[in-house]
Amino acid sequence: MQMTGAQIIIECLVEQGVDTVFGFPGGAVLPLYDALFQNQRRIRHILTSHEQGASHAADGYARSTGKVGVCIATSGPGATNLVTGIATAYMDSVPMVAITGNVTTQLLGKDSFQEVDITGITMPITKHNFIVKDVADLAKTIRRAFQIAQEGRPGPVLIDVPKDITVHTADFVPEVPRKLAPRTERLSEKSMETALDLIQHAQRPMCYVGGGVIRAKASDDLTQFLENIDSPACTSLMGCGAVNSYSPRFTGLVGMHGTKVSNMCVSACDLLVVIGARFSDRVVSKASAFAKNAKIIHIDVDPAEIDKNIKTYCHVVGDLKVVLEELNKRIAKPMVHKEWMDQVAEFKKRYPIRVDSESARSKEILKALQSVLPPNFFVVTEVGQHQMWAAQFLKHVQPGHFLTSGGLGTMGYGTGASIGAQVGNPESRVVNVAGDGSFRMNCNELATIARYRLPVIILLMNNHTLGMVRQWQTLFFDKHYSETTLDTDIDWVTLASAFGVKGMRIRREDDPKPILQAALELGEAVVIDCEIPVDDKVYPMVAPGASIEDMLGVQEVDEY
């Protein structure tokens, strides 16, 4: 059947199971938007206020649903406005397909109006990208892009489509999408045997868990694995939710803003099993001192991560769910490490997560939020102190329900991502824990929230400063608060009202729980301006270049 390129794009998206896209129109994608208009009953288009918002919304949609997020932008500035969102998805292994328009093929490379080489720009931050110069190649390119975005370690793929390709015609033959098979081609029997032997002979095993477990949908297999090898577990920021926070085996975050317990366990263990994590510098800190008493097993689907940051004793490359299932099968009898687990319990009693009076307010607010949230909620964050507090103080019990920019640390991520999460999960409540510095970057997306009547709650932790940067300036730069004080008198409640969104306040002296409860019961979008002290700090903290055992702000319990 003969179709235009724009129609082919629509048919391929439907074929891939896409029912929602996020975007912003422009001249180079007008034929595609005309096709979207004609197919609005098949694909819902969410118009964001800015293309960056569309990319973050596609990201949040993907993380919260497990589907591929799709965003669309026109050529030139439209395409470049996607770059930060694409990079965010790349660093955090999020399956996304970005479709950009471009000038017609005969104008490519001539510095035409609104022309950029978006494939060249995004090459380092995509799993792969394409520019389609023949409409006959369009369908297979889209199908390949969706396959690449999802297979192995997920990530973003960009498809650049010149405008003339969207109006030219070609034969279109429908296809049933090929079922993705787990990546196991590098999974060797020798590596499995070596890993199993190390596990069986360990006396003090510790598991360090990353976001790869969530991407692989392997949390249940991980839970069984921890039981089988009788091991505690810590997580990276991206791994929040992979291990139930209420589990007695869970020791908290690891690394720079991890718990003292997790960091001590990593240093004291004789075997560190790293599952779906990449040894980020925010976890490892001083590489020569990291897990210095342990042999390290690294289990990951991406061979490029093996021995990249930390040399390992053994590595197992393959789909995490497959690997964990196989290891669980081969452990005939659950192991017992009573002495080690007793020591971990002692660490927990001696080094609880405590805050000084300066920082108690953030914990109080987030604990109040936890108490009123309904089941199956999603928490999204911006980037900064509030992000770390949300990771530390909220209980994460469901994989994929804590959405944050970990690898890139993108301020402005949360509002767009909360849109995507809410659109993808209309029956759930979504809360964006934000800071006033991050929120001002993309608060224009309140227009999108209002337009589509999305009941997103934005909890604005307002300290009138760029809090995390100020914390570093306090600790390491002699309190030289260079350009971190946000003394512009913004009335966030009035701003929300201007967008048609309800605004509320939590003052320093207020009990936050009834206000948060009232906001949730409204069943609509609410911005809550929540005052917190300017010098609240995220503790504990590892100073740059220090061993993860050497933490600032730890309060030890002498008698327990």
Side-chain angles (χ1 to χ4, degrees):
M1 181 186 300
Q2 284 281 314
M3 291 186 179
T4 66
Q7 292 170 322
I8 288 172
I9 292 173
I10 297 297
E11 294 302 322
C12 285
L13 291 177
V14 172
E15 189 178 86
Q16 296 294 325
V18 174
D19 56 17
T20 304
V21 298
F22 305 86
F24 200 95
V29 287
L30 277 175
L32 175 55
Y33 270 79
D34 189 63
L36 281 166
F37 178 84
Q38 296 178 53
N39 288 274
Q40 53 191 291
R41 292 186 178 180
R42 303 168 74 197
I43 296 180
R44 183 186 187 191
H45 180 276
I46 302 296
L47 175 66
T48 56
S49 299
H50 189 281
E51 290 91 352
Q52 185 179 343
S55 61
H56 292 325
D59 175 306
Y61 180 91
R63 296 194 206 210
S64 64
T65 65
K67 302 176 183 178
V68 178
V70 179
C71 55
I72 300 171
T74 192
S75 63
T80 57
N81 282 342
L82 294 178
V83 169
T84 299
I86 292 171
T88 301
Y90 181 75
M91 292 292 284
D92 290 347
S93 305
V94 179
M96 177 195 293
V97 171
I99 300 173
T100 55
N102 212 329
V103 299
T104 58
T105 50
Q106 67 268 26
L107 292 178
L108 289 172
K110 297 182 178 180
D111 293 332
S112 304
F113 176 67
Q114 289 194 332
E115 180 198 1
V116 295
D117 178 12
I118 194 63
T119 55
I121 290 169
T122 60
M123 187 175 293
I125 55 168
T126 52
K127 281 188 74 176
H128 197 78
N129 61 30
F130 303 88
I131 180 167
V132 181
K133 295 184 178 180
D134 186 337
V135 68
D137 297 329
L138 184 56
K140 67 180 179 183
T141 300
I142 295 171
R143 290 162 181 156
R144 180 64 180 141
F146 273 83
Q147 181 182 356
I148 292 171
Q150 299 172 86
E151 66 183 359
R153 180 179 180 174
V157 179
L158 181 136
I159 310 169
D160 194 34
V161 188
K163 186 174 182 179
D164 54 321
I165 301 302
T166 61
V167 296
H168 290 169
T169 60
D171 282 326
F172 175 76
V173 179
E175 289 186 9
V176 176
R178 192 181 72 180
K179 188 174 181 180
L180 290 170
R183 297 297 293 268
T184 57
E185 65 271 16
R186 293 177 180 266
L187 183 57
S188 71
E189 179 62 26
K190 182 179 179 181
S191 68
M192 291 290 290
E193 289 177 354
T194 302
L196 191 60
D197 183 66
L198 289 169
I199 291 167
Q200 289 173 332
H201 286 89
Q203 297 302 309
R204 301 185 307 278
M206 178 69 179
C207 290
Y208 152 35
V209 178
V213 170
I214 296 172
R215 299 287 176 268
K217 297 180 174 59
S219 293
D220 289 343
D221 305 283
L222 172 66
T223 300
Q224 185 61 55
F225 180 69
L226 295 176
E227 293 292 328
N228 284 341
I229 71 171
D230 195 21
S231 170
C234 59
T235 70
S236 66
L237 182 66
M238 296 309 302
C240 284
V243 181
N244 190 316
S245 292
Y246 292 102
S247 169
R249 299 191 179 280
F250 183 58
T251 62
L253 291 175
V254 63
M256 177 176 283
H257 291 299
T259 65
K260 178 74 170 179
V261 176
S262 291
N263 289 1
M264 289 187 70
C265 286
V266 168
S267 296
C269 69
D270 63 358
L271 179 69
L272 183 65
V273 186
V274 182
I275 309 170
R278 58 184 179 84
F279 298 98
S280 162
D281 58 294
R282 288 298 174 105
V283 167
V284 171
S285 193
K286 186 178 180 180
S288 62
F290 184 76
K292 56 184 180 294
N293 297 308
K295 292 179 179 178
I296 299 176
I297 301 172
H298 191 185
I299 305 173
D300 205 282
V301 73
D302 185 0
E305 291 297 339
I306 303 300
D307 294 333
K308 184 176 82 173
N309 296 328
I310 293 289
K311 294 293 182 182
T312 57
Y313 189 87
C314 166
H315 57 263
V316 181
V317 179
D319 181 87
L320 296 182
K321 187 172 180 62
V322 172
V323 173
L324 289 172
E325 284 176 348
E326 188 60 31
L327 286 172
N328 284 331
K329 287 177 186 176
R330 297 188 186 200
I331 300 172
K333 182 180 179 182
M335 301 169 190
V336 178
H337 301 113
K338 185 178 185 305
E339 184 177 341
W340 171 234
M341 292 304 295
D342 286 347
Q343 184 178 352
V344 173
E346 182 178 332
F347 286 159
K348 287 184 176 183
K349 292 177 182 177
R350 185 175 290 276
Y351 301 107
I353 300 179
R354 304 177 73 184
V355 294
D356 57 30
S357 58
E358 191 177 52
S359 300
R361 185 60 171 166
S362 58
K363 182 176 182 180
E364 180 184 7
I365 292 162
L366 290 169
K367 289 298 183 184
L369 175 65
Q370 182 93 53
S371 70
V372 300
L373 282 173
N376 204 37
F377 64 88
F378 288 83
V379 168
V380 184
T381 80
E382 301 284 355
V383 169
Q385 288 177 314
H386 59 278
Q387 175 190 33
M388 296 296 106
W389 290 324
Q392 291 176 335
F393 299 140
L394 295 175
K395 297 295 186 182
H396 308 287
V397 299
Q398 298 182 78
H401 282 243
F402 180 70
L403 283 59
T404 193
S405 172
L408 198 63
T410 305
M411 294 177 69
Y413 166 81
T415 310
S418 64
I419 290 169
Q422 191 68 79
V423 169
N425 302 271
E427 303 304 315
S428 299
R429 294 310 302 267
V430 176
V431 178
N432 177 27
V433 179
D436 51 321
S438 286
F439 182 59
R440 64 171 55 199
M441 288 192 171
N442 278 336
C443 62
N444 55 345
E445 293 303 338
L446 283 175
T448 310
I449 290 171
R451 176 188 177 95
Y452 295 100
R453 301 182 183 276
L454 302 174
V456 171
I457 303 291
I458 296 174
L459 179 59
L460 186 61
M461 307 285 272
N462 189 357
N463 54 9
H464 305 280
T465 187
L466 301 178
M468 188 63 85
V469 186
R470 181 184 174 92
Q471 177 168 330
W472 280 59
Q473 289 172 333
T474 300
L475 296 174
F476 309 119
F477 292 89
D478 298 322
K479 298 184 179 180
H480 296 162
Y481 300 125
S482 176
E483 303 304 324
T484 49
T485 301
L486 305 178
D487 51 8
T488 305
D489 191 18
I490 298 175
D491 185 333
W492 295 107
V493 171
T494 300
L495 178 72
S497 177
F499 282 99
V501 173
K502 176 73 173 177
M504 302 175 75
R505 283 192 175 89
I506 299 177
R507 296 176 176 84
R508 291 277 294 276
E509 63 274 15
D510 291 335
D511 178 357
K513 184 173 179 177
I515 299 172
L516 291 167
Q517 182 70 60
L520 284 163
E521 288 175 355
L522 283 174
E524 61 185 70
V526 182
V527 173
I528 306 173
D529 182 3
C530 183
E531 290 280 343
I532 63 171
V534 68
D535 277 314
D536 269 14
K537 292 182 178 62
V538 178
Y539 283 136
M541 177 182 180
V542 177
S547 164
I548 62 171
E549 288 180 88
D550 185 14
M551 304 192 79
L552 305 174
V554 173
Q555 297 184 36
E556 181 175 353
V557 178
D558 294 324
E559 295 181 7
Y560 51 89

